[in-house]
Amino acid sequence: MSMNVSPWRARTLLDSPHRLCFFWAGAQWVASGLWWWWMLTRGQQAAAVPAVALHALWFGLGAMPLFIVGFVLTAGPKWLRAPAVAAADLRAGVAAFSVGWLLTALGAGLDTRLAAAGQVAAAAGLGLLVRRAWQLLQAGTRSDARHARVIVASLAITVLGLLASAAVMLAGHAAGLGALARAMLWWGPVAAFIAASHRMLPFLGDGLWPALDRRLPDWPLWALLSVSAMQGGVALAQGFAAVPRPVAALAAAHLGLAALASAALTLRWFGAPALRSSLVRMLHLSALWWPVALALLAAGQWPWSAAAPAQAWQMAGLHGLAIGYLAATWLVMVTRVIATHQGQARAIGRFVVLLFVLMQGAAVLRVLASLWPAASGWLLPLAALIWSGVGLSWWPYHALRLGQAPPRRARPARNEDEA
């Protein structure tokens, strides 16, 4: 039986945190993707803020924090048994964050001071959102709040990272800005995604070694978060000083062990009945990028590797992590949240599967561009074009639904893990 589709209204974005945050996160995705594709095709010219550094910063700290905020403030009340969060309370934070990135993008080509002011505005906006998330934690009545606490802490660290980026921009330290962008990717989105994946998905959870699971039930969570913590520190240090070889060797060995453990955790799911679901299969494929990325980064960080291959492996690993794991996971999970709150029985249709396949293609092309420098002249723009195309397809399609009230017959999510 067909149901009437409600008209799009801007005020409907204030019905839930995910509506407001996902709408403007999608705008960030499209804007940053098109900007980077344009920079690659027109040739990077002298600018107040180096384009490569801004690309790294915008990719990691632009759309992703808003997706994370929208997710945690929508799913968090169910996780924590706390009152729902009013999206209207988030308007100032989302507006300041979005305007801040607009100023940063404009200032990058015009005036460093404008770009830095944009980062301060984005930090202030995200700070308001983090304050609301902290209030949610305080209102929760469930004692098991470790995953939510990790996510909120990662957002708070991101606020500090945005403020630090403003200072580094004013100082004119290009290498430091790139290093800060990499560090904040590890300490911000990566840490948040690890916590969310461990909370909601089985691929990086326990069950691998029963004896260890009994002694340390959350060992996968803390082991993987240790990767985020160490890699963020190493990335930041590389921008300001030479990392001693013993430290680099220790970080590479740590990455290698984490890659092996992660591979064992994820590969055991091949053939599992749960993978018959397209949604679960897509999430599993995204999770497989995690050990692959860690292995590439471990090879690149080994201090006795030749300089050129090491740099290529590190860039390949970083983009496998960012696009293959983070972006692909967010594409599936965010789409699932939107579908759930619109009362759709089927979240993953052919359109979403196509976008997911294209995103995986963009990840493969970007990794190949790092490993095959001779072909990077066409691989890089093609990867950026596909990435932008996925954003340009996903955002309008789902922005329409975010502004439409769900049908009255829609039912809420059946369990607490569904946002």
Side-chain angles (χ1 to χ4, degrees), residues 182-217:
R182 292 191 297 275
M184 293 313 305
L185 181 70
W186 285 104
W187 289 340
V190 172
F193 273 66
I194 288 172
S197 296
H198 185 263
R199 175 67 173 78
M200 302 186 67
L201 306 177
F203 311 127
L204 297 177
D206 54 13
L208 182 62
W209 293 299
L212 183 58
D213 295 336
R214 286 192 297 270
R215 291 177 178 271
L216 299 170

PDB file of all heavy atoms in Angstrom, residues 182-217:
ATOM      1  N   ARG A 182      47.129  14.933   9.793  1.00  0.00           N
ATOM      2  CA  ARG A 182      47.235  13.474   9.937  1.00  0.00           C
ATOM      3  C   ARG A 182      47.018  13.047  11.379  1.00  0.00           C
ATOM      4  O   ARG A 182      46.340  12.049  11.649  1.00  0.00           O
ATOM      5  CB  ARG A 182      48.594  12.994   9.441  1.00  0.00           C
ATOM      6  CG  ARG A 182      48.791  13.149   7.930  1.00  0.00           C
ATOM      7  CD  ARG A 182      50.030  12.420   7.453  1.00  0.00           C
ATOM      8  NE  ARG A 182      51.254  12.947   8.039  1.00  0.00           N
ATOM      9  CZ  ARG A 182      51.936  13.983   7.559  1.00  0.00           C
ATOM     10  NH1 ARG A 182      51.483  14.618   6.479  1.00  0.00           N
ATOM     11  NH2 ARG A 182      53.043  14.400   8.139  1.00  0.00           N
ATOM     12  N   ALA A 183      47.598  13.793  12.307  1.00  0.00           N
ATOM     13  CA  ALA A 183      47.435  13.454  13.722  1.00  0.00           C
ATOM     14  C   ALA A 183      45.975  13.535  14.133  1.00  0.00           C
ATOM     15  O   ALA A 183      45.458  12.653  14.839  1.00  0.00           O
ATOM     16  CB  ALA A 183      48.286  14.386  14.585  1.00  0.00           C
ATOM     17  N   MET A 184      45.284  14.591  13.694  1.00  0.00           N
ATOM     18  CA  MET A 184      43.897  14.761  14.094  1.00  0.00           C
ATOM     19  C   MET A 184      42.982  13.734  13.436  1.00  0.00           C
ATOM     20  O   MET A 184      41.926  13.404  13.978  1.00  0.00           O
ATOM     21  CB  MET A 184      43.426  16.180  13.764  1.00  0.00           C
ATOM     22  CG  MET A 184      44.118  17.269  14.582  1.00  0.00           C
ATOM     23  SD  MET A 184      44.194  16.880  16.352  1.00  0.00           S
ATOM     24  CE  MET A 184      42.476  16.596  16.719  1.00  0.00           C
ATOM     25  N   LEU A 185      43.360  13.224  12.267  1.00  0.00           N
ATOM     26  CA  LEU A 185      42.581  12.139  11.673  1.00  0.00           C
ATOM     27  C   LEU A 185      42.606  10.918  12.594  1.00  0.00           C
ATOM     28  O   LEU A 185      41.577  10.275  12.834  1.00  0.00           O
ATOM     29  CB  LEU A 185      43.143  11.782  10.297  1.00  0.00           C
ATOM     30  CG  LEU A 185      42.392  10.665   9.555  1.00  0.00           C
ATOM     31  CD1 LEU A 185      41.028  11.143   9.101  1.00  0.00           C
ATOM     32  CD2 LEU A 185      43.206  10.160   8.360  1.00  0.00           C
ATOM     33  N   TRP A 186      43.796  10.608  13.148  1.00  0.00           N
ATOM     34  CA  TRP A 186      43.936   9.458  14.048  1.00  0.00           C
ATOM     35  C   TRP A 186      43.230   9.704  15.381  1.00  0.00           C
ATOM     36  O   TRP A 186      42.525   8.828  15.890  1.00  0.00           O
ATOM     37  CB  TRP A 186      45.408   9.158  14.300  1.00  0.00           C
ATOM     38  CG  TRP A 186      46.117   8.495  13.168  1.00  0.00           C
ATOM     39  CD1 TRP A 186      46.993   9.059  12.286  1.00  0.00           C
ATOM     40  CD2 TRP A 186      46.003   7.117  12.783  1.00  0.00           C
ATOM     41  NE1 TRP A 186      47.430   8.144  11.382  1.00  0.00           N
ATOM     42  CE2 TRP A 186      46.851   6.928  11.668  1.00  0.00           C
ATOM     43  CE3 TRP A 186      45.283   6.038  13.271  1.00  0.00           C
ATOM     44  CZ2 TRP A 186      46.980   5.688  11.036  1.00  0.00           C
ATOM     45  CZ3 TRP A 186      45.418   4.809  12.637  1.00  0.00           C
ATOM     46  CH2 TRP A 186      46.258   4.647  11.535  1.00  0.00           C
ATOM     47  N   TRP A 187      43.432  10.874  15.952  1.00  0.00           N
ATOM     48  CA  TRP A 187      42.887  11.150  17.285  1.00  0.00           C
ATOM     49  C   TRP A 187      41.401  11.489  17.254  1.00  0.00           C
ATOM     50  O   TRP A 187      40.717  11.331  18.256  1.00  0.00           O
ATOM     51  CB  TRP A 187      43.647  12.305  17.927  1.00  0.00           C
ATOM     52  CG  TRP A 187      45.040  11.941  18.340  1.00  0.00           C
ATOM     53  CD1 TRP A 187      45.535  10.696  18.561  1.00  0.00           C
ATOM     54  CD2 TRP A 187      46.121  12.842  18.582  1.00  0.00           C
ATOM     55  NE1 TRP A 187      46.855  10.754  18.930  1.00  0.00           N
ATOM     56  CE2 TRP A 187      47.234  12.073  18.950  1.00  0.00           C
ATOM     57  CE3 TRP A 187      46.253  14.225  18.535  1.00  0.00           C
ATOM     58  CZ2 TRP A 187      48.471  12.642  19.272  1.00  0.00           C
ATOM     59  CZ3 TRP A 187      47.475  14.801  18.842  1.00  0.00           C
ATOM     60  CH2 TRP A 187      48.577  14.011  19.213  1.00  0.00           C
ATOM     61  N   GLY A 188      40.918  11.951  16.106  1.00  0.00           N
ATOM     62  CA  GLY A 188      39.514  12.334  15.995  1.00  0.00           C
ATOM     63  C   GLY A 188      38.670  11.251  15.346  1.00  0.00           C
ATOM     64  O   GLY A 188      38.197  10.326  16.015  1.00  0.00           O
ATOM     65  N   PRO A 189      38.443  11.316  14.015  1.00  0.00           N
ATOM     66  CA  PRO A 189      37.554  10.354  13.357  1.00  0.00           C
ATOM     67  C   PRO A 189      37.945   8.891  13.542  1.00  0.00           C
ATOM     68  O   PRO A 189      37.071   8.054  13.753  1.00  0.00           O
ATOM     69  CB  PRO A 189      37.638  10.765  11.876  1.00  0.00           C
ATOM     70  CG  PRO A 189      37.941  12.235  11.916  1.00  0.00           C
ATOM     71  CD  PRO A 189      38.862  12.405  13.094  1.00  0.00           C
ATOM     72  N   VAL A 190      39.237   8.560  13.443  1.00  0.00           N
ATOM     73  CA  VAL A 190      39.608   7.151  13.562  1.00  0.00           C
ATOM     74  C   VAL A 190      39.234   6.607  14.938  1.00  0.00           C
ATOM     75  O   VAL A 190      38.650   5.517  15.059  1.00  0.00           O
ATOM     76  CB  VAL A 190      41.118   6.948  13.290  1.00  0.00           C
ATOM     77  CG1 VAL A 190      41.530   5.513  13.619  1.00  0.00           C
ATOM     78  CG2 VAL A 190      41.440   7.262  11.840  1.00  0.00           C
ATOM     79  N   ALA A 191      39.555   7.346  15.995  1.00  0.00           N
ATOM     80  CA  ALA A 191      39.198   6.892  17.342  1.00  0.00           C
ATOM     81  C   ALA A 191      37.689   6.744  17.489  1.00  0.00           C
ATOM     82  O   ALA A 191      37.196   5.764  18.076  1.00  0.00           O
ATOM     83  CB  ALA A 191      39.732   7.878  18.378  1.00  0.00           C
ATOM     84  N   ALA A 192      36.927   7.691  16.949  1.00  0.00           N
ATOM     85  CA  ALA A 192      35.463   7.618  17.036  1.00  0.00           C
ATOM     86  C   ALA A 192      34.928   6.412  16.275  1.00  0.00           C
ATOM     87  O   ALA A 192      34.027   5.704  16.751  1.00  0.00           O
ATOM     88  CB  ALA A 192      34.847   8.907  16.492  1.00  0.00           C
ATOM     89  N   PHE A 193      35.465   6.148  15.082  1.00  0.00           N
ATOM     90  CA  PHE A 193      34.988   5.023  14.290  1.00  0.00           C
ATOM     91  C   PHE A 193      35.350   3.693  14.932  1.00  0.00           C
ATOM     92  O   PHE A 193      34.587   2.730  14.842  1.00  0.00           O
ATOM     93  CB  PHE A 193      35.556   5.100  12.868  1.00  0.00           C
ATOM     94  CG  PHE A 193      34.733   5.942  11.924  1.00  0.00           C
ATOM     95  CD1 PHE A 193      34.617   7.305  12.120  1.00  0.00           C
ATOM     96  CD2 PHE A 193      34.083   5.374  10.848  1.00  0.00           C
ATOM     97  CE1 PHE A 193      33.859   8.084  11.256  1.00  0.00           C
ATOM     98  CE2 PHE A 193      33.325   6.135   9.981  1.00  0.00           C
ATOM     99  CZ  PHE A 193      33.212   7.498  10.187  1.00  0.00           C
ATOM    100  N   ILE A 194      36.523   3.616  15.559  1.00  0.00           N
ATOM    101  CA  ILE A 194      36.890   2.386  16.263  1.00  0.00           C
ATOM    102  C   ILE A 194      35.882   2.099  17.365  1.00  0.00           C
ATOM    103  O   ILE A 194      35.399   0.968  17.517  1.00  0.00           O
ATOM    104  CB  ILE A 194      38.313   2.501  16.840  1.00  0.00           C
ATOM    105  CG1 ILE A 194      39.351   2.450  15.717  1.00  0.00           C
ATOM    106  CG2 ILE A 194      38.589   1.382  17.848  1.00  0.00           C
ATOM    107  CD1 ILE A 194      40.764   2.756  16.182  1.00  0.00           C
ATOM    108  N   ALA A 195      35.553   3.121  18.150  1.00  0.00           N
ATOM    109  CA  ALA A 195      34.603   2.938  19.249  1.00  0.00           C
ATOM    110  C   ALA A 195      33.226   2.540  18.720  1.00  0.00           C
ATOM    111  O   ALA A 195      32.583   1.627  19.248  1.00  0.00           O
ATOM    112  CB  ALA A 195      34.508   4.211  20.082  1.00  0.00           C
ATOM    113  N   ALA A 196      32.760   3.225  17.685  1.00  0.00           N
ATOM    114  CA  ALA A 196      31.439   2.910  17.131  1.00  0.00           C
ATOM    115  C   ALA A 196      31.420   1.515  16.511  1.00  0.00           C
ATOM    116  O   ALA A 196      30.440   0.774  16.662  1.00  0.00           O
ATOM    117  CB  ALA A 196      31.046   3.960  16.093  1.00  0.00           C
ATOM    118  N   SER A 197      32.498   1.145  15.808  1.00  0.00           N
ATOM    119  CA  SER A 197      32.560  -0.182  15.193  1.00  0.00           C
ATOM    120  C   SER A 197      32.554  -1.271  16.251  1.00  0.00           C
ATOM    121  O   SER A 197      31.881  -2.295  16.105  1.00  0.00           O
ATOM    122  CB  SER A 197      33.812  -0.305  14.318  1.00  0.00           C
ATOM    123  OG  SER A 197      33.767   0.591  13.228  1.00  0.00           O
ATOM    124  N   HIS A 198      33.309  -1.070  17.331  1.00  0.00           N
ATOM    125  CA  HIS A 198      33.341  -2.068  18.403  1.00  0.00           C
ATOM    126  C   HIS A 198      31.995  -2.157  19.103  1.00  0.00           C
ATOM    127  O   HIS A 198      31.585  -3.240  19.543  1.00  0.00           O
ATOM    128  CB  HIS A 198      34.441  -1.718  19.411  1.00  0.00           C
ATOM    129  CG  HIS A 198      34.626  -2.744  20.475  1.00  0.00           C
ATOM    130  ND1 HIS A 198      34.047  -2.635  21.715  1.00  0.00           N
ATOM    131  CD2 HIS A 198      35.316  -3.913  20.476  1.00  0.00           C
ATOM    132  CE1 HIS A 198      34.375  -3.694  22.448  1.00  0.00           C
ATOM    133  NE2 HIS A 198      35.144  -4.475  21.718  1.00  0.00           N
ATOM    134  N   ARG A 199      31.293  -1.044  19.205  1.00  0.00           N
ATOM    135  CA  ARG A 199      29.998  -1.016  19.894  1.00  0.00           C
ATOM    136  C   ARG A 199      28.895  -1.677  19.073  1.00  0.00           C
ATOM    137  O   ARG A 199      28.039  -2.379  19.615  1.00  0.00           O
ATOM    138  CB  ARG A 199      29.615   0.446  20.175  1.00  0.00           C
ATOM    139  CG  ARG A 199      28.225   0.650  20.778  1.00  0.00           C
ATOM    140  CD  ARG A 199      28.134   0.091  22.178  1.00  0.00           C
ATOM    141  NE  ARG A 199      26.877   0.421  22.822  1.00  0.00           N
ATOM    142  CZ  ARG A 199      25.709  -0.196  22.594  1.00  0.00           C
ATOM    143  NH1 ARG A 199      25.646  -1.165  21.694  1.00  0.00           N
ATOM    144  NH2 ARG A 199      24.618   0.170  23.246  1.00  0.00           N
ATOM    145  N   MET A 200      28.918  -1.469  17.734  1.00  0.00           N
ATOM    146  CA  MET A 200      27.772  -1.853  16.924  1.00  0.00           C
ATOM    147  C   MET A 200      28.044  -2.983  15.940  1.00  0.00           C
ATOM    148  O   MET A 200      27.096  -3.636  15.485  1.00  0.00           O
ATOM    149  CB  MET A 200      27.273  -0.632  16.143  1.00  0.00           C
ATOM    150  CG  MET A 200      26.873   0.535  17.013  1.00  0.00           C
ATOM    151  SD  MET A 200      26.136   1.869  16.064  1.00  0.00           S
ATOM    152  CE  MET A 200      24.619   1.107  15.517  1.00  0.00           C
ATOM    153  N   LEU A 201      29.300  -3.213  15.570  1.00  0.00           N
ATOM    154  CA  LEU A 201      29.616  -4.209  14.551  1.00  0.00           C
ATOM    155  C   LEU A 201      30.452  -5.330  15.169  1.00  0.00           C
ATOM    156  O   LEU A 201      31.254  -5.087  16.071  1.00  0.00           O
ATOM    157  CB  LEU A 201      30.389  -3.563  13.397  1.00  0.00           C
ATOM    158  CG  LEU A 201      29.729  -2.334  12.759  1.00  0.00           C
ATOM    159  CD1 LEU A 201      30.626  -1.752  11.684  1.00  0.00           C
ATOM    160  CD2 LEU A 201      28.372  -2.693  12.174  1.00  0.00           C
ATOM    161  N   PRO A 202      30.307  -6.554  14.666  1.00  0.00           N
ATOM    162  CA  PRO A 202      31.041  -7.672  15.269  1.00  0.00           C
ATOM    163  C   PRO A 202      32.448  -7.876  14.722  1.00  0.00           C
ATOM    164  O   PRO A 202      33.219  -8.635  15.303  1.00  0.00           O
ATOM    165  CB  PRO A 202      30.156  -8.877  14.897  1.00  0.00           C
ATOM    166  CG  PRO A 202      29.550  -8.480  13.585  1.00  0.00           C
ATOM    167  CD  PRO A 202      29.337  -6.991  13.657  1.00  0.00           C
ATOM    168  N   PHE A 203      32.802  -7.188  13.631  1.00  0.00           N
ATOM    169  CA  PHE A 203      34.027  -7.533  12.929  1.00  0.00           C
ATOM    170  C   PHE A 203      35.292  -7.254  13.733  1.00  0.00           C
ATOM    171  O   PHE A 203      36.280  -7.981  13.626  1.00  0.00           O
ATOM    172  CB  PHE A 203      34.103  -6.784  11.590  1.00  0.00           C
ATOM    173  CG  PHE A 203      32.854  -6.891  10.786  1.00  0.00           C
ATOM    174  CD1 PHE A 203      32.217  -5.762  10.307  1.00  0.00           C
ATOM    175  CD2 PHE A 203      32.283  -8.128  10.516  1.00  0.00           C
ATOM    176  CE1 PHE A 203      31.053  -5.850   9.564  1.00  0.00           C
ATOM    177  CE2 PHE A 203      31.114  -8.235   9.779  1.00  0.00           C
ATOM    178  CZ  PHE A 203      30.500  -7.090   9.298  1.00  0.00           C
ATOM    179  N   LEU A 204      35.278  -6.189  14.529  1.00  0.00           N
ATOM    180  CA  LEU A 204      36.456  -5.840  15.324  1.00  0.00           C
ATOM    181  C   LEU A 204      36.195  -6.100  16.808  1.00  0.00           C
ATOM    182  O   LEU A 204      36.845  -5.499  17.667  1.00  0.00           O
ATOM    183  CB  LEU A 204      36.829  -4.375  15.093  1.00  0.00           C
ATOM    184  CG  LEU A 204      37.226  -4.013  13.665  1.00  0.00           C
ATOM    185  CD1 LEU A 204      37.502  -2.524  13.537  1.00  0.00           C
ATOM    186  CD2 LEU A 204      38.455  -4.804  13.230  1.00  0.00           C
ATOM    187  N   GLY A 205      35.273  -6.989  17.107  1.00  0.00           N
ATOM    188  CA  GLY A 205      34.942  -7.299  18.491  1.00  0.00           C
ATOM    189  C   GLY A 205      35.673  -8.519  19.005  1.00  0.00           C
ATOM    190  O   GLY A 205      36.653  -8.989  18.416  1.00  0.00           O
ATOM    191  N   ASP A 206      35.191  -9.056  20.126  1.00  0.00           N
ATOM    192  CA  ASP A 206      35.860 -10.186  20.757  1.00  0.00           C
ATOM    193  C   ASP A 206      35.455 -11.488  20.074  1.00  0.00           C
ATOM    194  O   ASP A 206      34.782 -11.499  19.055  1.00  0.00           O
ATOM    195  CB  ASP A 206      35.551 -10.230  22.248  1.00  0.00           C
ATOM    196  CG  ASP A 206      34.056 -10.235  22.514  1.00  0.00           C
ATOM    197  OD1 ASP A 206      33.300 -10.460  21.554  1.00  0.00           O
ATOM    198  OD2 ASP A 206      33.649 -10.024  23.657  1.00  0.00           O
ATOM    199  N   GLY A 207      35.877 -12.614  20.674  1.00  0.00           N
ATOM    200  CA  GLY A 207      35.539 -13.917  20.132  1.00  0.00           C
ATOM    201  C   GLY A 207      36.677 -14.596  19.411  1.00  0.00           C
ATOM    202  O   GLY A 207      36.534 -15.720  18.941  1.00  0.00           O
ATOM    203  N   LEU A 208      37.827 -13.937  19.306  1.00  0.00           N
ATOM    204  CA  LEU A 208      38.964 -14.536  18.609  1.00  0.00           C
ATOM    205  C   LEU A 208      39.737 -15.473  19.534  1.00  0.00           C
ATOM    206  O   LEU A 208      40.054 -16.605  19.176  1.00  0.00           O
ATOM    207  CB  LEU A 208      39.878 -13.433  18.072  1.00  0.00           C
ATOM    208  CG  LEU A 208      41.099 -13.911  17.265  1.00  0.00           C
ATOM    209  CD1 LEU A 208      40.644 -14.661  16.020  1.00  0.00           C
ATOM    210  CD2 LEU A 208      41.961 -12.717  16.872  1.00  0.00           C
ATOM    211  N   TRP A 209      40.058 -14.987  20.728  1.00  0.00           N
ATOM    212  CA  TRP A 209      40.778 -15.788  21.720  1.00  0.00           C
ATOM    213  C   TRP A 209      39.951 -15.814  23.003  1.00  0.00           C
ATOM    214  O   TRP A 209      40.007 -14.861  23.795  1.00  0.00           O
ATOM    215  CB  TRP A 209      42.166 -15.202  21.990  1.00  0.00           C
ATOM    216  CG  TRP A 209      43.080 -15.314  20.804  1.00  0.00           C
ATOM    217  CD1 TRP A 209      43.494 -16.447  20.195  1.00  0.00           C
ATOM    218  CD2 TRP A 209      43.701 -14.227  20.092  1.00  0.00           C
ATOM    219  NE1 TRP A 209      44.316 -16.163  19.135  1.00  0.00           N
ATOM    220  CE2 TRP A 209      44.465 -14.802  19.051  1.00  0.00           C
ATOM    221  CE3 TRP A 209      43.670 -12.832  20.223  1.00  0.00           C
ATOM    222  CZ2 TRP A 209      45.190 -14.039  18.149  1.00  0.00           C
ATOM    223  CZ3 TRP A 209      44.392 -12.070  19.326  1.00  0.00           C
ATOM    224  CH2 TRP A 209      45.143 -12.669  18.322  1.00  0.00           C
ATOM    225  N   PRO A 210      39.176 -16.868  23.240  1.00  0.00           N
ATOM    226  CA  PRO A 210      38.273 -16.905  24.399  1.00  0.00           C
ATOM    227  C   PRO A 210      38.968 -16.662  25.730  1.00  0.00           C
ATOM    228  O   PRO A 210      38.418 -15.983  26.605  1.00  0.00           O
ATOM    229  CB  PRO A 210      37.675 -18.315  24.323  1.00  0.00           C
ATOM    230  CG  PRO A 210      37.742 -18.669  22.866  1.00  0.00           C
ATOM    231  CD  PRO A 210      39.016 -18.039  22.375  1.00  0.00           C
ATOM    232  N   ALA A 211      40.183 -17.202  25.909  1.00  0.00           N
ATOM    233  CA  ALA A 211      40.882 -17.009  27.185  1.00  0.00           C
ATOM    234  C   ALA A 211      41.184 -15.539  27.421  1.00  0.00           C
ATOM    235  O   ALA A 211      41.010 -15.019  28.533  1.00  0.00           O
ATOM    236  CB  ALA A 211      42.172 -17.830  27.206  1.00  0.00           C
ATOM    237  N   LEU A 212      41.631 -14.857  26.365  1.00  0.00           N
ATOM    238  CA  LEU A 212      41.910 -13.431  26.491  1.00  0.00           C
ATOM    239  C   LEU A 212      40.618 -12.638  26.662  1.00  0.00           C
ATOM    240  O   LEU A 212      40.572 -11.656  27.417  1.00  0.00           O
ATOM    241  CB  LEU A 212      42.666 -12.944  25.259  1.00  0.00           C
ATOM    242  CG  LEU A 212      43.103 -11.475  25.239  1.00  0.00           C
ATOM    243  CD1 LEU A 212      44.003 -11.162  26.431  1.00  0.00           C
ATOM    244  CD2 LEU A 212      43.821 -11.144  23.936  1.00  0.00           C
ATOM    245  N   ASP A 213      39.567 -13.073  25.984  1.00  0.00           N
ATOM    246  CA  ASP A 213      38.279 -12.390  26.119  1.00  0.00           C
ATOM    247  C   ASP A 213      37.768 -12.437  27.553  1.00  0.00           C
ATOM    248  O   ASP A 213      37.157 -11.475  28.037  1.00  0.00           O
ATOM    249  CB  ASP A 213      37.248 -13.021  25.190  1.00  0.00           C
ATOM    250  CG  ASP A 213      37.592 -12.831  23.715  1.00  0.00           C
ATOM    251  OD1 ASP A 213      38.326 -11.879  23.409  1.00  0.00           O
ATOM    252  OD2 ASP A 213      37.126 -13.632  22.895  1.00  0.00           O
ATOM    253  N   ARG A 214      38.010 -13.549  28.239  1.00  0.00           N
ATOM    254  CA  ARG A 214      37.550 -13.671  29.625  1.00  0.00           C
ATOM    255  C   ARG A 214      38.333 -12.751  30.552  1.00  0.00           C
ATOM    256  O   ARG A 214      37.780 -12.165  31.481  1.00  0.00           O
ATOM    257  CB  ARG A 214      37.667 -15.115  30.092  1.00  0.00           C
ATOM    258  CG  ARG A 214      36.611 -16.049  29.491  1.00  0.00           C
ATOM    259  CD  ARG A 214      36.596 -17.379  30.207  1.00  0.00           C
ATOM    260  NE  ARG A 214      37.851 -18.108  30.061  1.00  0.00           N
ATOM    261  CZ  ARG A 214      38.103 -18.959  29.071  1.00  0.00           C
ATOM    262  NH1 ARG A 214      37.185 -19.204  28.145  1.00  0.00           N
ATOM    263  NH2 ARG A 214      39.257 -19.583  29.010  1.00  0.00           N
ATOM    264  N   ARG A 215      39.623 -12.633  30.303  1.00  0.00           N
ATOM    265  CA  ARG A 215      40.466 -11.799  31.173  1.00  0.00           C
ATOM    266  C   ARG A 215      40.306 -10.319  30.858  1.00  0.00           C
ATOM    267  O   ARG A 215      40.250  -9.484  31.774  1.00  0.00           O
ATOM    268  CB  ARG A 215      41.941 -12.196  31.009  1.00  0.00           C
ATOM    269  CG  ARG A 215      42.277 -13.584  31.566  1.00  0.00           C
ATOM    270  CD  ARG A 215      43.729 -13.919  31.293  1.00  0.00           C
ATOM    271  NE  ARG A 215      44.096 -15.202  31.851  1.00  0.00           N
ATOM    272  CZ  ARG A 215      44.561 -15.377  33.089  1.00  0.00           C
ATOM    273  NH1 ARG A 215      44.722 -14.330  33.876  1.00  0.00           N
ATOM    274  NH2 ARG A 215      44.878 -16.578  33.527  1.00  0.00           N
ATOM    275  N   LEU A 216      40.261 -10.005  29.570  1.00  0.00           N
ATOM    276  CA  LEU A 216      40.161  -8.598  29.134  1.00  0.00           C
ATOM    277  C   LEU A 216      39.047  -8.504  28.092  1.00  0.00           C
ATOM    278  O   LEU A 216      39.295  -8.555  26.886  1.00  0.00           O
ATOM    279  CB  LEU A 216      41.484  -8.113  28.539  1.00  0.00           C
ATOM    280  CG  LEU A 216      42.705  -8.123  29.465  1.00  0.00           C
ATOM    281  CD1 LEU A 216      43.979  -7.854  28.675  1.00  0.00           C
ATOM    282  CD2 LEU A 216      42.551  -7.068  30.553  1.00  0.00           C
ATOM    283  N   PRO A 217      37.798  -8.367  28.536  1.00  0.00           N
ATOM    284  CA  PRO A 217      36.671  -8.408  27.600  1.00  0.00           C
ATOM    285  C   PRO A 217      36.737  -7.370  26.479  1.00  0.00           C
ATOM    286  O   PRO A 217      36.254  -7.628  25.383  1.00  0.00           O
ATOM    287  CB  PRO A 217      35.454  -8.163  28.506  1.00  0.00           C
ATOM    288  CG  PRO A 217      35.914  -8.540  29.867  1.00  0.00           C
ATOM    289  CD  PRO A 217      37.370  -8.202  29.926  1.00  0.00           C
TER     290      PRO A 217
END
